[in-house]
Amino acid sequence: MAQNGANPIISDLRDRIQHLDGAVTRPKAVLPFGVCEIDERLPGGGLACGAIHEFAGGGAGAVDGAAAALFAAGIAARTKGKVVWCLARPDLFAPALAQVGLHPDRVIYVEAMKEEYVLEACEEALRFGGLGAVVAELVRLPMVASRRLQLAAEGSGALGLMVRRWRRQTEAGDFGHPTAATSRWRISVLPSDPLPVPGLGRARWLAELIRIKAGESADFEIGACDAQGRISLFSDAGDGSDQTRRSVHTG
């Protein structure tokens, strides 16, 4: 005699097989920037959680590298929960992170002796889950290592932010090698926002989205992260307007 409805055991086995085959993809949460011109370029309308993302300076110098780190810190600031920051060089300036909204009481610093240990700590933190974001400062990110980090993020739904930092110019070429990161960004410092009176205006960056899965690359001229980690998009220089379009707080 046939039973009404599907057999729950068979249904469960079918779901497991489909998951192993990759036929079923769970909808991913995203962290939007709150600027429509940027979010509309990102699948889902924001940076995908359960994934890793790469950030590097537009040049090999320390200034652009610091801007890339602050850009990532602003993203982490707009998440909820603790942020684990893994690094091998004890030169991170915590007050600068606080200025973009990532306050010291939210950050757990993991200082490792070697970059290989940074990768291990980052993977462990991504697998742990329950964190706002996991940041790792790296010179090199081999494909195998990036794939492990991506799988760890997918398993927990964590947001992984890989900040690529160079000690010397020859190392900057490693950023051109392929990785498993969902998106790849390059940040360069531009002249600051002009003021109507003498003084130094808001810092301005060129944010290049040079790779995004299921999307297209793009360039954005943005105002640096404010005290809540928000960015603003500057109007086109040719329209005669100095107005900016600010992002909304998403944390």
Side-chain angles (χ1 to χ4, degrees):
M1 183 175 180
Q3 296 180 349
N4 294 328
N7 187 311
I9 297 178
I10 295 177
S11 297
D12 180 64
L13 288 174
R14 185 181 294 114
D15 290 342
R16 293 188 182 188
I17 292 171
Q18 289 178 333
H19 179 73
L20 291 173
D21 289 341
V24 174
T25 57
R26 293 176 296 177
K28 290 184 177 180
V30 298
L31 179 69
F33 284 96
V35 179
C36 63
E37 291 88 346
I38 298 178
D39 291 334
E40 66 186 9
R41 293 280 189 161
L42 305 174
L47 286 180
C49 299
I52 63 171
H53 306 270
E54 282 186 84
F55 307 89
V63 175
D64 287 346
L70 290 177
F71 184 71
I75 294 170
R78 293 184 290 107
T79 65
K80 296 180 180 179
K82 294 290 186 179
V83 174
V84 172
W85 197 297
C86 309
L87 69 166
R89 300 165 62 184
D91 59 355
L92 188 64
F93 190 55
L97 302 188
Q99 288 182 345
V100 297
L102 189 56
H103 297 281
D105 58 352
R106 288 190 58 201
V107 185
I108 301 172
Y109 297 101
V110 179
E111 186 177 333
M113 295 179 60
K114 298 191 298 183
E115 193 160 288
E116 291 82 356
Y117 300 155
V118 172
L119 286 168
E120 293 176 3
C122 179
E123 181 180 348
E124 192 68 24
L126 288 171
R127 292 190 186 282
F128 177 77
L131 299 167
V134 179
V135 185
E137 294 186 16
L138 300 163
V139 174
R140 296 180 176 85
L141 184 59
M143 173 58 81
V144 173
S146 69
R147 185 58 182 159
R148 289 181 62 91
L149 297 178
Q150 176 66 22
L151 290 173
E154 289 177 359
S156 65
L159 179 64
L161 309 175
M162 309 295 112
V163 179
R164 309 292 299 275
R165 295 186 61 189
W166 326 122
R167 293 182 176 86
R168 52 190 68 89
Q169 187 172 0
T170 55
E171 295 174 335
D174 188 77
F175 189 62
H177 296 169
T179 70
T182 297
S183 71
R184 177 176 282 185
W185 300 76
R186 188 163 52 198
I187 310 298
S188 303
V189 174
L190 299 175
S192 62
D193 189 18
L195 296 175
V197 296
L200 187 64
R202 183 177 182 179
R204 187 184 296 196
W205 298 334
L206 174 64
E208 300 173 83
L209 176 59
I210 60 177
R211 180 179 181 272
I212 178 70
K213 289 184 179 179
E216 297 181 355
S217 59
D219 298 345
F220 308 99
E221 189 174 321
I222 62 174
C225 301
D226 65 11
Q228 286 77 43
R230 301 172 300 185
I231 60 174
S232 62
L233 186 68
F234 282 89
S235 301
D236 292 337
D239 64 3
S241 173
D242 291 329
Q243 298 299 315
T244 62
R245 295 185 288 278
R246 293 184 177 274
S247 62
V248 297
H249 184 49
T250 56

